[in-house]
Amino acid sequence: MQDHLTVVEHPLVQHKLTLMRKDTTSTAVFRQLLKEISMLLAYEITRELETCQTAIRTPLTQTTAPALAGKKLALISILRAGNGLLDGVLELIPSARVGFIGLYRDEQTLEPVEYYFKVPTELQDRLVIVLDPMLATGNSIVAAVSRIKQAGAVRIRALCLLAAPEGVKRMKSAHPDVPIVTASLDEQLNDIGYILPGLGDAGDRMFGTK
Ligand code: URA
């Protein structure tokens, strides 16, 4: 993947995102749309997975055909909103390994603090996709990617439903080697770090907490 930022302009993605943004969209519909859109984003982010030719038999003949090569990829969800992307991505890539990272913001230092970390083994040999629906300030994803690199990952991509220019800039300076795939580059952050026009609090909207 060559570009640092890929915005998936496909009409189905854009239509589903518009429905998700609307404040009248129910939790159940929001969750269903998130699942569908995450499958489409996963399709894009895995476009360059390596394949190798394998020998198979069809009902008619022997042939060789491509299959995915290398170790199973790893999906790492940043809790809790990353879990909303997990269902759809796993539906498309059911054999992926899954990890979780939990971070909270220390109110004094404003720095992200890790409270949970459990990831698949042999990260160095896997394509690692970090799941975080809202790339806002970028503080948590930058910290999560640093931690995942510390655990051995070398080939990492970020899958985000929405991105703010501020977060993209921060990721580009902290982790220029991590391409981002998103459905939209929105306009800006508001003064409390929410993405505009955005869709509100992604966690609250997908889990119905508010
Ligand atoms: N997290 C969210 O859930 N929404 C935003 O707009 C920004 C961060």
Side-chain angles (χ1 to χ4, degrees), residues 29-68:
V29 172
F30 187 92
R31 210 179 273 158
Q32 178 61 31
L33 290 163
L34 183 59
K35 185 171 177 182
E36 292 165 5
I37 220 171
S38 51
M39 290 172 79
L40 297 165
L41 296 177
Y43 174 82
E44 187 60 40
I45 210 168
T46 53
R47 182 176 282 284
E48 289 155 24
L49 279 181
E50 284 147 33
T51 58
C52 60
Q53 290 295 322
T54 54
I56 59 161
R57 270 186 77 86
T58 75
L60 299 176
T61 186
Q62 302 241 12
T63 187
T64 59
L68 291 177

Side-chain angles (χ1 to χ4, degrees), residues 81 133-137 162 189 192-196 198-204:
M134 308 299 271
L135 175 49
T137 60
L162 290 188
L189 296 180
I192 54 165
Y194 277 78
I195 299 176
L196 293 174
L199 48 73
D201 186 297
D204 282 343

Side-chain angles (χ1 to χ4, degrees), residues 40-203:
L40 297 165
L41 296 177
Y43 174 82
E44 187 60 40
I45 210 168
T46 53
R47 182 176 282 284
E48 289 155 24
L49 279 181
E50 284 147 33
T51 58
C52 60
Q53 290 295 322
T54 54
I56 59 161
R57 270 186 77 86
T58 75
L60 299 176
T61 186
Q62 302 241 12
T63 187
T64 59
L68 291 177
K71 278 217 168 297
K72 304 278 184 285
L73 57 76
L75 308 174
I76 300 186
S77 165
I78 303 183
L79 298 173
R80 79 182 155 150
N83 283 14
L85 295 170
L86 202 51
D87 284 355
V89 180
L90 272 176
E91 193 136 324
L92 201 66
I93 318 166
S95 60
R97 305 310 191 225
V98 180
F100 298 92
I101 178 161
L103 302 162
Y104 71 88
R105 195 167 75 137
D106 184 294
E107 291 308 326
Q108 247 86 60
T109 63
L110 303 182
E111 292 297 319
V113 180
E114 182 184 307
Y115 65 87
Y116 189 77
F117 188 78
K118 183 80 183 172
V119 297
T121 56
E122 299 166 294
L123 281 188
Q124 68 280 2
D125 299 326
R126 305 181 189 276
L127 173 67
V128 176
I129 301 180
V130 181
L131 307 175
D132 187 8
M134 308 299 271
L135 175 49
T137 60
N139 288 342
S140 50
I141 197 166
V142 162
V145 169
S146 300
R147 185 65 179 85
I148 291 162
K149 284 182 175 174
Q150 216 179 70
V154 285
R155 218 155 46 104
I156 307 172
R157 291 175 193 172
L159 195 156
C160 305
L161 177 64
L162 290 188
E166 294 89 334
V168 172
K169 193 167 158 209
R170 179 130 162 62
M171 268 295 277
K172 190 162 189 175
S173 93
H175 298 295
D177 55 321
V178 176
I180 301 161
V181 170
T182 186
S184 174
L185 179 60
D186 272 18
E187 285 161 24
Q188 62 180 103
L189 296 180
N190 71 7
D191 52 10
I192 54 165
Y194 277 78
I195 299 176
L196 293 174
L199 48 73
D201 186 297

Side-chain angles (χ1 to χ4, degrees), residues 16-23 162 184 186 197-199 205:
K16 289 176 196 298
L17 178 58
T18 299
L19 296 175
M20 291 179 79
R21 289 185 191 276
K22 289 166 83 164
D23 61 359
L162 290 188
S184 174
D186 272 18
L199 48 73
R205 294 208 62 193

